[in-house]
Amino acid sequence: MIVDAHVYLGSCLFGYGQSLDEVRARMERLGIDKAVLVPVKPQDYHLGPANELVAQVVRTHPDRFLGLCRVDPWQTEAAVSEARKGFDEMGACGLYLDPWEENFQANDDIVSPLVEEARHRSKPVVINAGHPRVSHPTQIWDLACQFPDVQFVACNGGQINICGLLLFEARRMMEACANITVQTAGTYREDFLEEIASEVGEERVIFASRSPVYDQEFEMARVRLAHLSESQKDKLWSANALALFH
Amino acid sequence: MIIDSHTHVDKVGWYDPPETILRLMDEAGIDKSIIMTYGDAPDVEGSLEYIAEAVQKYPDRLIGYARLNPGRGEEAHRLFEKAMEEYGFKGLKLHPVGNLCHPAGAETIEIIELACRYGAPVLFHCGDEELTLPLQIAQAAEECPEATIILGHMGGYFHWKDAIRVAERCENVVLDTSALPYPQAIREAVDRVGSRRVLYASDGPGCDPSLEVHKVKMAHLTPEDEEAVFHLSIETILDKVTNSGDRS
C-alpha cells in the first residue's frame, strides 16, 4: 500500500496547483492508494474555501483521501476558529502550517494556540520545514520541545540546503525530539533519509511528494531506490503515515 | 555510457572512501565519475593527495578535480599546477561557502585564469547560499570568457531559473544536474541552452547516483540529447584539458 502524505489540491497564488482530476489520474497511473490532501493558498488569500474544497473531496472519497486544515497564524482568533472548524466539522486529520508562504516563524508565540487545538484532539501538525529564517530545523525543534505531546511532521526532510549545512541540525533535531517525523519530499541527500530511518527510527520517516511542487513520480523513486530493507520501505510507504493520520 | 560529472571522495568530515562511490556507480550503471573532496586544499591537509591516490587506484573509473581555496593565493596556484601536471587532474572545484571568496573576487579570478591555461573546467557549487548564486557566479563567467564555468546543482532549490538565464547569457557556462529535485528543470535547460551545455551529475555518494540517473531519464529528452547529457558534453569539455599548462 502506498500513501502519499502530502499532495496539494487547488490553484495556488504562487503559480502551482492541480485539480482533483489531475490528482486522481496520477495516483491511478503511479499506483498510489491514498493521499493526504493539503489546501493551497489561493489567489484571493482566503484559506477557508481552500479548506472546504479539501473537506468536500475527503467526504466524497473517504477511501482515497484524508485532508489537512490549513491556517494562517497571523489571523489569530480567526485562525483558531478555522482550526476548530477543520477538526470538528470538516474531519481534518491534522493541521498544516506553512511558515514560508504565510510568512511567520514556526516557533513564534502566534503559533501556540493553533498547536493547542491540535493537541486537544491528538492530531498531528504538518509544517513546511527547512526554510531559513522561518522554519529552520532549530525552530521546528524549539516548537516540538514546547509541545512534547504533539506529533509534528516536518516537510522536506526538515531541511532545505543543497550545501548540506543543515543536515547536521536536522539530524540533531530528529535525535532530540521523538515527536518529529520527516517527509521524504525534496530532501537533500538520500543518505540523510536512510540514516534517519536506520539509526534514529524507521517510524520517523514518511513518503510524501508535495506534488505538484515536487514531481510525484520522481519522489516515489526517491523511496523505491533507497538503501533500506523492504520492511523499512513498507513503513515509509504507508504504515508510518497511517499511524499518524486518521 | 554514463559519466558522473560531480561526486565526492574524502577522508575527513563526511568520510567517503572511493569504494563508496564505486559501489553506487555500479548500482547505477555509471562508467566513470569525476571526484573531488568536500574540503579545500591546502586548508585540509593531504586532500589533493587523497584524490590522486583514488584516481591512481581506479584509473578507468575515476577522474580528479582539485578543490582549492583561492584565498590561499600563490600556494593554491602551486597546488593546482601540481594537481594538473603531476596528478593528472582534469578540473578545478570551487565552493565559496567554504572559503568565503567571492566568485568574481580578484583571488578567484586569478585561479580561474590559471585553470584556463590548462583548458580545465571550473566547477562552482551553485545553490541558494550567498556567494554561490548563479548571478554571482555569472560575474566570474563574464570576466573570464575563455573559462568553462560549470554551475554545480544549477542553482539548487530556488535559483535554477537564474542558472538557466545565466547560461543563456554566458556561452561559457555549463549546467550540472546534481541534487536539484526538479526533473522538468533539466528538460527546460536542454530546451533553452542545448544538451551540449548540460551535464549529468549526482553529487554522490550522499545523493544517490541511481536516483539522479532516473531524474535525467524523467526529463524525456531525445536519445541524442540524453547521450549528450550523460557523457558527450563532459567528454568534449575534458578533451580540451591539457596537463602541461601550455594551452595558451
Side-chain angles (χ1 to χ4, degrees):
Chain A
M1 182 175 189
I2 298 177
V3 177
D4 187 336
H6 196 133
V7 173
Y8 290 106
L9 179 69
S11 180
C12 179
L13 170 68
F14 302 110
Y16 64 87
Q18 56 191 348
S19 67
L20 179 61
D21 286 346
E22 290 169 319
V23 170
R24 292 181 70 185
R26 199 176 331 98
M27 285 172 68
E28 197 68 33
R29 179 169 67 82
L30 298 175
I32 294 170
D33 301 282
K34 209 162 192 169
V36 178
L37 296 176
V38 181
V40 298
K41 184 170 189 169
Q43 289 283 344
D44 65 5
Y45 285 61
H46 294 300
L47 296 176
N51 285 325
E52 184 52 41
L53 173 66
V54 165
Q56 277 176 11
V57 172
V58 174
R59 278 195 291 266
T60 310
H61 307 282
D63 54 328
R64 299 301 301 275
F65 297 108
L66 294 161
L68 299 180
C69 175
R70 176 171 181 164
V71 289
D72 178 354
W74 289 115
Q75 298 293 326
T76 60
E77 274 305 310
V80 173
S81 297
E82 182 71 15
R84 287 177 184 152
K85 184 179 168 190
F87 288 130
D88 300 339
E89 298 173 29
M90 295 196 282
C93 68
L95 202 60
Y96 179 61
L97 299 175
D98 198 320
W100 180 243
E101 293 189 351
E102 262 79 76
N103 195 17
F104 62 92
Q105 290 185 313
N107 58 336
D108 195 287
D109 289 344
I110 60 171
V111 173
S112 300
L114 298 166
V115 178
E116 279 293 348
E117 294 300 321
R119 189 175 71 81
H120 288 154
R121 294 161 182 82
S122 300
K123 297 291 187 187
V125 177
V126 180
I127 304 181
N128 188 1
H131 291 276
R133 300 176 182 83
V134 293
S135 58
H136 188 275
T138 54
Q139 293 170 312
I140 306 298
W141 180 349
D142 186 41
L143 179 66
C145 286
Q146 293 175 43
F147 295 93
D149 51 351
V150 174
Q151 285 294 323
F152 293 90
V153 179
C155 303
N156 312 303
Q159 43 88 25
I160 305 174
N161 185 297
I162 212 157
C163 232
L165 291 178
L166 281 187
L167 292 170
F168 307 102
E169 215 59 57
R171 169 73 185 236
R172 292 169 67 84
M173 171 189 84
M174 293 302 286
E175 287 176 338
C177 305
N179 57 331
I180 299 179
T181 298
V182 288
Q183 294 183 352
T184 56
T187 299
Y188 176 64
R189 289 181 57 152
E190 286 65 54
D191 64 349
F192 173 77
L193 294 172
E194 292 163 1
E195 286 170 14
I196 295 296
S198 299
E199 299 168 15
V200 181
E202 59 191 20
E203 73 287 354
R204 306 282 300 279
V205 185
I206 56 175
F207 163 63
S209 70
R210 290 193 68 217
S211 158
V213 172
Y214 299 124
D215 186 296
Q216 195 171 33
E217 184 177 352
F218 178 63
E219 293 303 327
M220 287 181 74
R222 195 186 296 279
V223 175
R224 184 165 41 81
L225 295 171
H227 298 87
L228 295 169
S229 69
E230 286 309 309
S231 69
Q232 286 174 319
K233 285 185 189 177
D234 285 345
K235 291 189 172 176
L236 266 65
W237 282 128
S238 60
N240 293 344
L242 292 174
L244 277 170
F245 300 111
H246 42 76
Chain B
M1 171 85 167
I2 301 178
I3 299 175
D4 190 332
S5 291
H6 182 167
T7 70
H8 294 280
V9 165
D10 211 334
K11 61 178 179 175
V12 294
W14 288 317
Y15 174 68
D16 285 316
E19 288 73 21
T20 303
I21 193 65
L22 286 162
R23 175 175 54 78
L24 295 171
M25 287 165 63
D26 289 342
E27 271 184 22
I30 292 168
D31 300 274
K32 295 182 181 181
S33 286
I34 292 170
I35 61 170
M36 59 212 76
T37 51
Y38 295 111
D40 290 347
D43 305 334
V44 180
E45 196 177 342
S47 59
L48 294 183
E49 288 72 18
Y50 192 66
I51 294 295
E53 287 166 16
V55 172
Q56 195 172 23
K57 193 171 177 186
Y58 303 103
D60 298 331
R61 306 294 305 278
L62 303 179
I63 299 162
Y65 276 10
R67 179 165 160 164
L68 290 161
N69 176 357
R72 298 296 285 266
E74 284 300 319
E75 191 179 5
H77 296 188
R78 279 198 303 276
L79 286 172
F80 184 69
E81 290 164 352
K82 185 176 183 180
M84 295 300 294
E85 296 179 20
E86 286 186 34
Y87 300 153
F89 284 15
K90 298 293 182 186
L92 172 65
K93 167 70 184 289
L94 298 176
H95 200 315
V97 170
N99 53 52
L100 301 179
C101 294
H102 191 283
E107 63 274 33
T108 305
I109 295 299
E110 282 175 15
I111 203 162
I112 292 173
E113 287 173 345
L114 178 60
C116 279
R117 282 190 16 220
Y118 294 88
V122 180
L123 167 58
F124 272 95
H125 172 92
C126 175
D128 306 300
E129 308 84 18
E130 285 300 330
L131 301 178
T132 76
L133 303 174
L135 289 165
Q136 292 178 305
I137 300 170
Q139 297 167 43
E142 286 168 339
E143 196 156 335
C144 305
E146 299 300 313
T148 298
I149 303 288
I150 302 169
L151 304 186
H153 317 303
M154 55 184 283
Y157 284 79
F158 301 106
H159 295 87
W160 62 272
K161 290 181 180 175
D162 278 356
I164 294 174
R165 213 172 283 132
V166 165
E168 285 181 317
R169 194 169 88 198
C170 307
E171 288 186 0
N172 57 330
V173 165
V174 177
L175 304 168
D176 109 15
T177 62
S178 63
L180 92 162
Y182 313 114
Q184 76 275 16
I186 297 169
R187 176 58 185 262
E188 187 164 338
V190 167
D191 286 347
R192 285 170 56 181
V193 302
S195 57
R196 288 301 187 138
R197 291 169 61 203
V198 179
L199 311 176
Y200 163 71
S202 74
D203 195 22
C207 298
D208 183 5
S210 293
L211 181 66
E212 296 292 324
V213 167
H214 184 70
K215 185 173 74 184
V216 171
K217 291 187 172 170
M218 280 189 63
H220 301 297
L221 307 176
T222 65
E224 294 77 17
D225 283 337
E226 195 172 284
E227 195 177 8
V229 171
F230 274 134
H231 70 99
L232 293 176
S233 303
I234 187 64
E235 285 174 328
T236 302
I237 290 169
L238 297 182
D239 282 347
K240 294 176 188 163
V241 179
T242 168
N243 289 96
S244 58
D246 57 0
R247 184 169 175 263
S248 58

